[in-house]
DNA sequence: ATTAAATCTTTACTCCCGTAAAATTTTCTC
DNA sequence: GAGAAAATTTTACGGGAGTAAAGATTTAAT
């Protein structure tokens, strides 16, 4: 194995005895060359592990194989899980996923979009920050890159994939009303459209059932939802100002904080005898099953959202963005009954 | 604002009336040009928002401004938090951080390393999978890219930054022994060197205090530590085979699972009267403060680890890798006393 | 004002690969 | 085995910026 520094495709062409244009074709799509040629290339590849230079590849390609993924906050398990799935699917399809997190900051989101744009990606999957997004910047980005928006339905891009808040929230509201006192709603700070939709869906569902909706808006900013749930929860419990013993939180992370608040205030959570509060969430975050008690919630279909987003994007990349309508696909949630409510 | 398609640096040189090589210098380091020149460039930049093409930039640079970050599992909050900090620091220093997650899989780790290598990064910060890493592949990577290894001290790369398990574990063992029954140790699957070090540190600390160390190895593979802690915990509690009422877990995620197990089995956790178990963890994961009861643990210094890793890497990039010794910097943990133990 | 140093411009070459067109070879079909 | 179709090679150019060297200009120092 005389590995004499195979750095360029020309070098590799020499030792593999295949012309460079053919190699180029092969690396673009291994199936596009004759079987015997492919075998020759691959046997040479085993001996000398050459990889084309990504920068050089993309610099001169009309359509790169890069796919950008931009999320508002990667440390949120919802996004880390979604990203994980999206990434794997992109890799399987021969694309090169590259992940950016805005870390909750507009500046970083803009930065990520600008960087991504200069990468000339084949497409992008973005979950905008929402309220704190620089709308014009995001819009501008989506005008030059085929983009699927997911999770947070900011009205840009060529399609949206998310979850159906107007199905999932009524689902759990209905359950909670059937099994005990109608819930009040602990709302997260309205950082994105989901926050508002969930509140509206709650109100609608309660009214539909003939109950009086009671919304509590938690103060606080940023992405520390557990913290917000904890602080607000402790305050509400101390002040005895919870309008209902059943509390539906607009997401699991708030609920996790609220459960902690109840614990710290000595209130027992659950639907059994001797329980003072019922707490439910929304999303079925990865660690919602480990709260004490385990959290009753509505599961967002992570897999479906990831898969559909990727599929939609591939479709977009292939067929272009001819259609003027901006399809919105939303998935239903599934009730996950545990012990907290 | 006649934005006549400024696509290339040549275009931008024309409208800004600065020569292209000077522009190139500017984009590489804004401070490297005269103040008046810089002002001219930046005012032009405001009018025509031009950005150099990343691919073209990196293709022909000796040293790119790319920095690769590879972690074993991005959905683990420890890594998402560390990555967040590292990313921000790289950006501030004018580098382009690019994050890869192995998602727990050797194949993806190799893939990430190979991709990263073909990006010719200025340097890399990697936390190897550990046991399931392809050691030779990782080693080979580190031989061609200046690399700082963090968290998991796999013996490759030019430096290591992590936490001092032989300080942090004795710290909490000592606390637990002082305040109640000496702890047994619930060990996570030995996926990386940390797992083993923590166990060894526990044994050493217990022996130093004249106690009999008792190690329980949890079965299970993969990165679902909470799940492993929960299952194993339920099993141990049901079988009444916990060797001590005090349990030190090798990380917080296991502890979170174990607390859930105790809850589900009706055992009260804490150090107060009426508590059946004391549970402690290690790391101070972001959500350890929200468990019920809040988790007593040892905090790893996320900031210090991130900062030192980045600093070390920048140092390496600047001064080359002349020194033959492989410095290992470890940070002490701090006891975080909450209610669980 | 005079020099020296620092900075900028011009010119020209390089990086590694994409891609198009024409010429050649291989494979397939009947 | 002839002819057509498919794949490959040859040749050549281009992408967008890095970078080196030499000469011109500006700035700082004396």
């Amino acid at each position: 194995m005389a590995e004499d520094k195979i750095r360029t495709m020309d070098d590799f062409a020499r030792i593999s005895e295949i012309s460079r244009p053919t190699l180029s074709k092969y690396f673009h799509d291994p199936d596009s060359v004759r079987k015997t040629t492919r075998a020759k290339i691959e046997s040479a590849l085993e001996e000398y592990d050459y990889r084309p230079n990504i920068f050089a590849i993309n610099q001169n390609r009309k359509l790169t194989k890069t796919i950008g993924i931009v999320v508002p906050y990667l440390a949120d398990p919802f996004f880390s899980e979604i990203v994980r799935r999206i990434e794997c699917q992109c890799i399987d399809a021969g694309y090169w996923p590259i992940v950016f997190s805005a870390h909750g900051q507009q500046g970083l989101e803009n930065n990520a979009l600008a960087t991504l744009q200069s990468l000339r990606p084949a497409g992008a999957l973005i979950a905008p920050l929402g309220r704190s997004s620089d709308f014009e910047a995001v819009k501008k980005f989506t005008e030059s890159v085929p983009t699927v928006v997911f999770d947070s339905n900011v009205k840009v891009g060529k399609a949206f994939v998310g979850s159906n808040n107007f199905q999932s929230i009524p689902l759990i509201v209905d359950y909670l009303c059937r099994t005990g006192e109608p819930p009040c709603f602990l709302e997260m700070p309205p950082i994105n459209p989901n926050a508002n939709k969930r509140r509206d869906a709650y109100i609608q569902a309660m009214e539909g059932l003939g109950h009086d909706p009671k919304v509590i808006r938690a103060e606080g900013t940023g992405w520390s939802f557990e913290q917000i749930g904890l602080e607000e929860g402790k305050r509400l419990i101390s002040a005895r100002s919870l309008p209902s013993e059943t509390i539906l939180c607009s997401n699991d992370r708030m609920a996790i904080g609220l459960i902690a608040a109840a614990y710290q205030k000595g209130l027992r959570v659950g639907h059994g005898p001797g329980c003072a509060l019922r707490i439910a969430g929304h999303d079925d975050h990865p660690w919602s099953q480990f709260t004490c008690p385990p959290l009753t919630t509505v599961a967002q279909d992570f897999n479906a959202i990831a898969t559909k987003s990727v599929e939609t994007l591939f479709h977009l990349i292939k067929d272009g963005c001819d259609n003027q309508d901006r399809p919105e696909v939303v998935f239903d949630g599934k009730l996950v009954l545990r012990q907290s409510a």
Side-chain angles (χ1 to χ4, degrees), chain A residues 58 64-71 96-101 108-127 137-138 140-142 144-148 150 313:
Chain A
N58 286 295
T64 69
K65 281 288 197 175
T66 309
I67 285 185
I69 305 166
V70 184
V71 294
W96 181 42
I98 167 166
V99 180
F100 298 85
S101 168
L108 290 178
E109 181 169 90
N110 281 350
N111 205 62
L113 292 175
T115 300
L116 184 50
Q117 192 165 352
S118 67
L119 285 174
R120 305 224 202 111
L125 292 149
I126 72 176
V138 178
K140 201 170 161 194
F141 172 85
T142 61
S144 77
V145 178
T147 304
V148 172
F150 69 97
L313 182 60

Side-chain angles (χ1 to χ4, degrees), chain A residues 39-101:
Chain A
K40 262 175 79 178
I41 295 174
E42 285 175 351
S43 82
L45 222 41
E46 278 186 23
E47 199 164 352
Y48 309 79
D49 66 339
Y50 161 76
R51 274 200 152 211
N53 176 308
I54 293 186
F55 295 113
I57 289 176
N58 286 295
Q59 140 142 41
N60 207 17
R61 226 208 282 268
K62 311 278 187 219
L63 216 58
T64 69
K65 281 288 197 175
T66 309
I67 285 185
I69 305 166
V70 184
V71 294
Y73 205 84
L74 199 45
D76 185 314
F78 171 77
F79 290 109
S80 41
E81 282 297 328
I82 284 271
V83 164
R84 192 164 71 89
R85 290 170 164 83
I86 290 177
E87 267 198 283
C88 291
Q89 295 190 25
C90 289
I91 291 172
D92 289 347
Y95 283 87
W96 181 42
I98 167 166
V99 180
F100 298 85
S101 168

Side-chain angles (χ1 to χ4, degrees), chain A residues 9 12 18-43 45:
Chain A
M9 203 180 271
F12 189 69
I18 300 287
S19 73
R20 198 171 62 70
T22 303
L23 288 177
S24 178
K25 268 189 77 180
Y26 167 82
F27 284 113
H28 187 61
D29 175 10
D31 281 323
S32 66
V33 301
R34 205 181 289 147
K35 255 168 57 186
T36 54
T37 313
R38 177 171 181 172
K40 262 175 79 178
I41 295 174
E42 285 175 351
S43 82
L45 222 41

Side-chain angles (χ1 to χ4, degrees), chain A residues 177-217:
Chain A
C177 289
R178 271 195 342 257
T179 53
E181 192 185 3
C184 61
F185 186 77
L186 181 58
E187 180 178 36
M188 65 176 172
I191 48 166
N192 67 27
N194 280 333
N196 296 324
K197 277 190 190 153
R198 288 183 189 175
R199 186 219 312 113
D200 295 347
Y202 161 77
I203 294 174
Q204 203 171 298
M206 287 288 279
E207 284 172 347
L209 293 170
H211 298 299
D212 203 23
K214 288 158 195 151
V215 174
I216 311 165
R217 170 174 302 193

Side-chain angles (χ1 to χ4, degrees), chain A residues 1-15:
Chain A
M1 211 202 285
E3 285 207 31
D4 293 318
K5 287 153 202 157
I6 304 299
R7 317 210 90 258
T8 76
M9 203 180 271
D10 276 309
D11 291 343
F12 189 69
R14 207 164 304 122
I15 66 101

